[in-house]
Structures are given as structure tokens and as C-alpha cells.
Amino acid sequence: MFAASRCADECASKPAPDMLSELMEELGANAVDTLVIGDTVHDLQMAAHAGVQAVAVSHGAHPRGDLVALAPLACLANIDELTLWLARNA
Amino acid sequence: MRNYTLLSAELLTGRTHQIRVHLNHLGFPIAVTTNTATSSSTGDWRSRPEAHVPARGRTGVRASAFRESPETACAASRRPVALSRFAGKLMRYPLLVFDWDGTLIDSAPAIVACIQAACRDLGLTVPDEARASHVIGLGLKDALSYAIPACPRTTTAGWWSRTAGTFSRATPGSRSFREPKRCLQASKLAAHSRHRHRKEPRGPRAGAG
């Protein structure tokens, strides 16, 4: 299901861009070809620090208001909304 | 100018004539443009392609430029085109990077419970739910300094092993893993069908958690 993964034990943790930049390097993707999907402000900040666009989901650890404040492309309420959004936009 | 739409497009990728092609496809052809996109710097600004689409060296369209103000574009041009319908055709992400905890799997409540339990075990101030859930996704050092500001450094190792130990015994979250799996499969299928036509590398997915 996943081509690669990074966790905080392997490189600098969020909100540093390292996990993202390492994944992009390993998989040969540019920042403009990449989209981050996350439930926390740390995910959105990591994306911003790497110059990558992001989509938030509000069913996780952080409140919707905090996520929206960081201007993700969308803030989706659940997995079904995320699936639909990705099918249409990603 | 009633029949024109002033549009700001951010140029991101290196595909030739993408702005021209996409806008034309959407029913918004660029005014007075040529194939070579060269023009005189003199004369009416509307005759210069760069007046409509400021070039930044590389071509390509970021679809959010459309999504952010489709109503404006439609109203200004009087062309009732549902731009959002086309957004997916403009915006492509060969690489999707999913966060894991809280995004694909409902582990946030369990992590919060484990953080609180570990603090109780070690006689530390127990963070409330908001404080404990805020640190999900952070590295250990940052997580500790926010969740338990008064935590002595020497306690770190014990705190972590307690949290991890509690978590490994914890009941998995209430949300089924089926939904996220469907989501991943759907996005992967979409990527495959797109890439079949475009003959580009298949879209990998990645996790950063």
C-alpha cells in the first residue's frame, strides 16, 4: 500500500520538513508533485516548510479551527470526504 | 473588459503550453495569444499573454487558482462553467504522503490515554486531553516539553517506555481500518488509470507518521 515511509525515529520530526524531503528524494518527486494529508498542525507545518501543499482531516488529533488557520487546500471531516476529494483533485 | 476574466495562475511545472491548453479546455481561452507566446512589450496590455498569465520561467497550472475563486471567474466571464468539475484534470499529485496516527487510523484517543497513564504512573502532572493530543506527531523531546512542561530530563526514558508499553497493550481505536484502506486503494487506482494514459511513473504513496 505504501511505497516508502518515515517516522520520527528515522529523521527530524515534524514540523521539520525532513521526513517529507527524504520521501520526495527517495521517490523522485518534486514539491509540486506532492500532497500531504494530515490531521495535525504539525503535518501542515511540515508541508509548508517543504513547500508542499496539504489537505487536512478534522477527525484526528487536532481541532478543525487550528487546521483551517493554516490554510490547507481543504479541511475534510472524515475518510469518505477525503476519498472523494482525492478522487476529484489529486 | 466585460467578456474577459482576469486570472492569476501560478506556474509550477515544466509542461509546454499547459496554461493555454487548460484554459482553452475550460472555455476560457487566453485573449490574443500566439502559439509561441512571444509578443511585443508595447501596445495594449491585453495583447500580451503575460498580462493574463504572468510567466515565471516554467509553465504549468496550479488548480487552486481556479478552486479559490471559480465564482469570480464565472461571474466575470459570464460563462456558467463549473470549473470545479475540471479541477481534478488540472491538479495532479504523483506522490501522496499520508500521516498515519489520527489521519488513517483512529489511534489518537489511545495515544492520549497512554500519555496520561504514563504520567500518572510516574507521578507527573497529567496533561488534559487537548494538551496530550496536541503533541501527537511530534518527536519525543518536543512532545514531552509541551505535554509535561515540568518533566525532568531523566524521566524521559521512563516516560517513553511507559507510554509505548501502555500503547502496545491498548485496544485499537474504534474506527475500522477498512475505510482508510478503501481510501488508499481508490486514490491508487485513480493514479494508475491516469498514468496509463500519461505514461508517467506510477504514483507512489508514502507515509510520514
Side-chain angles (χ1 to χ4, degrees), chain A residues 69-85:
Chain A
L70 291 171
L73 291 180
C75 186
L76 307 160
N78 52 52
I79 285 283
D80 286 340
E81 277 191 21
L82 174 64
T83 307
L84 200 61
W85 193 95

Side-chain angles (χ1 to χ4, degrees), chain B residues 105-181:
Chain B
I105 195 86
D106 188 19
S107 52
I111 294 173
V112 167
C114 293
I115 289 173
Q116 291 173 327
C119 290
R120 264 193 299 276
D121 285 355
L122 292 166
L124 299 165
T125 310
V126 177
D128 63 17
E129 192 188 332
R131 185 165 280 274
S133 63
H134 179 82
V135 306
I136 293 174
L138 288 179
L140 179 58
K141 202 175 137 212
D142 292 339
L144 271 176
S145 67
Y146 185 90
I148 324 159
C151 177
R153 291 187 82 93
T154 47
T155 317
T156 303
W159 184 87
W160 181 239
S161 67
R162 295 249 177 185
T163 301
T166 315
F167 186 68
S168 65
R169 292 191 302 273
T171 313
S174 57
R175 194 191 312 148
S176 155
F177 187 63
R178 263 174 304 167
E179 285 182 354
K181 197 175 171 190

Side-chain angles (χ1 to χ4, degrees), chain B residues 14-30:
Chain B
R15 293 176 194 130
T16 312
H17 300 313
Q18 282 303 290
I19 293 178
R20 184 172 297 103
V21 171
H22 282 311
L23 287 177
N24 203 32
H25 178 68
L26 294 171
F28 292 82
I30 296 178

Side-chain angles (χ1 to χ4, degrees), chain A residues 3 14 35 39 42 53 88 90, chain B residues 88 93 97 99 134 194 205:
Chain A
K14 302 163 193 171
L35 179 71
D39 70 315
H42 316 309
Q53 294 194 306
R88 283 182 178 163
Chain B
Y93 297 103
V97 180
D99 166 65
H134 179 82
R194 279 201 304 268
R205 272 73 183 112

Side-chain angles (χ1 to χ4, degrees), chain A residues 1 3-7 13-14 27 33-39 42 53 59-62 73 79 83 88-90, chain B residues 62 67 88 91 93-97 99 101-103 133-134 136 138-139 175 179 183-184 194 205-209:
Chain A
M1 199 65 79
S5 71
R6 286 293 182 283
C7 71
S13 72
K14 302 163 193 171
L27 299 169
D33 298 326
T34 306
L35 179 71
V36 165
I37 300 106
D39 70 315
H42 316 309
Q53 294 194 306
H59 60 238
H62 285 191
L73 291 180
I79 285 283
T83 307
R88 283 182 178 163
N89 302 288
Chain B
R62 188 176 69 164
R67 256 208 311 280
M91 199 169 194
Y93 297 103
L95 174 60
L96 298 183
V97 180
D99 166 65
D101 285 308
T103 298
S133 63
H134 179 82
I136 293 174
L138 288 179
R175 194 191 312 148
E179 285 182 354
C183 172
L184 291 171
R194 279 201 304 268
R205 272 73 183 112

